[in-house]
Amino acid sequence: MEIINLEEQPSLLNRYIRELRDVTIQGDPLRFRKNLERIGEIMAYEISKRLNYHEEEVTTPLATAKVKEPSDKIVLATILRAGLPFHLGFLNYFDRAENAFVSAYRKYREKGETFDVLVEYLASADIEGKTLIIVDPMLATGSSMELGYRALLNNGTPAKIHVASVIASQQAIDYVAKVFPADKTTVWSAAIDPEINAHSYIVPGLGDAGDLAFGEKL
């Protein structure tokens, strides 16, 4: 399995990561959502380099030109709710992709520190033989990503899988590497942080991406 940490490659992406992390900027939810979207666009472009292509001809006003068109049939899947702006960035580039949405969330136990990850909703295209791109901005433990993926398998078996996050913990990267099929999965992250805390939040991370994008939940 290939793990790609885009933070290791100096680019404009690092500015958007810095703004997402910065507590003095996080108070602007519109900017927070826009930065998630922009990172999604950049990562979609990077992933597009790994697709299969075929040659087509297009007619211009003067002649014909040969162009490369993607051959892969793509299903873009998102873990709700924080994944929505990130998903939009991918969809801006993969504008012909089919889409899938999975509701996977933490249900905290009585003392409020431990939790179970539950999946309650799935709306997905057929993924059989297609390229599946699963996006979730925060990959903390990897449990939500795994459960979302297993729910999607009810709609087929993909030929290739790309797992994309904005910030991942090293623990989650290691976990995903164990539970996803290594021969056809590539994991992409804009940054990989060293640890998670007792509440399973990534450290240094950026906090709760869903709350910062859409407001605090009860």
Side-chain angles (χ1 to χ4, degrees), residues 101-119:
F101 300 92
V102 182
S103 171
Y105 71 98
R106 298 178 178 185
K107 183 175 179 61
Y108 284 89
R109 297 171 188 163
E110 188 174 344
K111 293 183 179 180
E113 291 187 0
T114 58
F115 59 87
D116 298 309
V117 178
L118 303 180
V119 173

Side-chain angles (χ1 to χ4, degrees), residues 26-119:
Q26 287 182 346
D28 183 349
L30 176 60
R31 189 167 179 179
F32 189 87
R33 293 193 301 269
K34 187 63 179 179
N35 281 333
L36 287 177
E37 181 181 343
R38 290 193 283 195
I39 292 170
E41 290 175 344
I42 293 170
M43 296 185 78
Y45 174 73
E46 293 295 330
I47 290 174
S48 75
K49 298 176 183 178
R50 302 298 185 92
L51 303 179
N52 297 304
Y53 287 81
H54 65 275
E55 192 173 85
E56 290 187 0
E57 284 192 350
V58 60
T59 301
T60 79
L62 301 176
T64 59
K66 293 181 178 180
V67 297
K68 298 286 188 181
E69 277 284 333
S71 303
D72 299 45
K73 293 182 178 179
I74 295 171
V75 177
L76 177 59
T78 298
I79 310 297
L80 299 174
R81 67 179 168 145
L84 290 174
F86 195 36
H87 176 100
L88 180 59
F90 277 85
L91 193 57
N92 288 343
Y93 277 38
F94 294 125
D95 56 300
R96 298 182 184 179
E98 296 176 283
N99 292 266
F101 300 92
V102 182
S103 171
Y105 71 98
R106 298 178 178 185
K107 183 175 179 61
Y108 284 89
R109 297 171 188 163
E110 188 174 344
K111 293 183 179 180
E113 291 187 0
T114 58
F115 59 87
D116 298 309
V117 178
L118 303 180
V119 173

Side-chain angles (χ1 to χ4, degrees), residues 104 115 117 119 139-149 172 175-176:
F115 59 87
V117 178
V119 173
L139 195 61
T141 67
S143 297
S144 295
M145 184 63 73
E146 180 195 10
L147 289 178
Y149 167 65
Y175 184 77
V176 168

Side-chain angles (χ1 to χ4, degrees), residues 78-197:
T78 298
I79 310 297
L80 299 174
R81 67 179 168 145
L84 290 174
F86 195 36
H87 176 100
L88 180 59
F90 277 85
L91 193 57
N92 288 343
Y93 277 38
F94 294 125
D95 56 300
R96 298 182 184 179
E98 296 176 283
N99 292 266
F101 300 92
V102 182
S103 171
Y105 71 98
R106 298 178 178 185
K107 183 175 179 61
Y108 284 89
R109 297 171 188 163
E110 188 174 344
K111 293 183 179 180
E113 291 187 0
T114 58
F115 59 87
D116 298 309
V117 178
L118 303 180
V119 173
E120 287 193 344
Y121 174 80
L122 169 67
S124 173
D126 178 13
I127 66 172
E128 182 66 35
K130 299 176 183 177
T131 295
L132 176 65
I133 303 174
I134 313 179
V135 308
D136 189 6
M138 306 302 289
L139 195 61
T141 67
S143 297
S144 295
M145 184 63 73
E146 180 195 10
L147 289 178
Y149 167 65
R150 297 201 182 283
L152 289 163
L153 291 180
N154 290 315
N155 287 29
T157 302
K160 295 181 181 178
I161 305 163
H162 295 276
V163 174
S165 66
V166 176
I167 300 177
S169 73
Q170 186 59 54
Q171 176 180 322
I173 293 291
D174 295 341
Y175 184 77
V176 168
K178 291 179 181 178
V179 299
F180 276 71
D183 59 333
K184 59 182 179 181
T185 303
T186 304
V187 180
W188 303 76
S189 189
I192 299 176
D193 287 355
E195 59 183 345
I196 58 175
N197 64 16

